[in-house]
Amino acid sequence: MTGALADRVRDAVAGVTDPELRRPLGELDMLRDVAVRDGVAEVGIALTIVGCPAADRIERDVRDAAASVSGIHAVDVRVGVMSPDERKALTEKLRGGRAKREMPFGPDSLTRVIAVTSGKGGVGKSTVTANLAVALAARGLRVGLVDADVHGFSIPGLLGLVDADGLPPAPTRLDDLILPPVAYGVKVISIGMFLRRPGEDAAGAVAWRGPMLHRTVQQFLTDVFFGDLDLLLLDMPPGTGDVAISVGQLLPHADVLVVTTPQAAAAEVAVRSGLVARQTGQRPIGVIENMAAMTLADGTVLDLFGAGGGDEVARALSTDETTVPLLASVPLSPALRSGGDDGRPVVLSQPDDPAARAIDAAAAALAIRPRGLAGKPLRLSV
Ligand SMILES: Nc1ncnc2c1ncn2[C@@H]1O[C@H](COP(=O)(O)OP(=O)(O)OP(=O)(O)O)[C@@H](O)[C@H]1O
Ligand SMILES: [Mg+2]
């Protein structure tokens, strides 16, 4: 009798999801002994590391899951920590058989990689990318976001990933795997999460600081555990510098989304960034025009940066074989701006804002394509 009840408790607890690894505890081998005595469930769990930031949440969820089983009146959760061998087995399982240092986003990956670029700086690329990622996650896609703007990172702030000191949280490490923090359903990694804080020792941070940009971007792609993703977005630094070249080498099959303002001068450089990406084999798949004309409450139209830049870039990047569409024209928007400042993306906080709607329309267009298959040659066997 009690044995059957213990099995039911075990099943319930095995279904609890680890908030960082996003997999059920049962699958992660984090469950230990489960017993029931006089209606009291005793549940043992093994956390991955000492001081696991998600410990409280996991313990609470385990307690709730066990308590939900009928016949259980009280729950006693015993929290332990995995042994180094158990942890090694887990990291190997999470790597899914891939060797260490192997990049999971190669040409055969089912994850669609989209690098978001611009020619000029300050055109709103990071703001648009952050909102786009959140909008895609809200549509049910599994989305990762790499802040590849190593010098001018801004993604953590845009997604509210800051602690009480205003600093991005340090990601949890599971041996040599780095677990990306999750914001609004998006798994996020940024160099900002690895910078040293005052008074903190250098352990763990060193490897990310000194080395060249290429190695940093490469580490983001290899050592960060994103799990299965439908889409990986990269917020690129402006222009066609070193990081763009590195990403072109590391992800030659990536799709490229070009952000521009409506201004002719911005459009010209945006075209150049799209063409450079194409030279490395990447494919421009669309243009987003940002900071387009906004209509004020009294009906006046404010077109600070003119009009036409988005269309111009889309036309210039289109070839006889491929049409590069203008996916959205995002108007100037105080709500988009303040949502970025507050770390609350406008696509969720004010979905009716015209900028939010435009970005969501772009997300809808990007979400349509089945992952992995588009653009790949079909290998038919006869
Ligand atoms: N549509 C918009 N309406 C109003 N403000 C905007 C809009 N888009 C972006 N901004 C604001 O413009 C500024 C620059 O945006 P953002 O940092 O996203 O640009 P960026 O292209 O990523 O810049 P960088 O080149 O520095 O990476 C931010 O203050 C942002 O809030
Ligand atoms: Mg930026």
Side-chain angles (χ1 to χ4, degrees), residues 125-127 149 152 154 235-236 238:
K125 181 168 31 62
S126 302
T127 306
D149 193 348
S154 58
D235 180 32
M236 303 292 292

Side-chain angles (χ1 to χ4, degrees), residues 121-127 149 154 238 290-291 330-333 336-337:
V123 299
K125 181 168 31 62
S126 302
T127 306
D149 193 348
S154 58
N290 185 35
M291 305 188 178
V330 181
L332 285 161
S333 157
L336 177 65
R337 200 265 311 140

Side-chain angles (χ1 to χ4, degrees), residues 211-232:
M212 303 164 314
L213 299 173
H214 185 83
R215 212 166 93 78
T216 305
V217 176
Q218 195 170 25
Q219 280 194 304
F220 280 160
L221 297 172
T222 46
D223 296 349
V224 176
F225 173 69
F226 284 106
D228 288 336
L229 292 180
D230 296 306
L231 260 169
L232 180 72

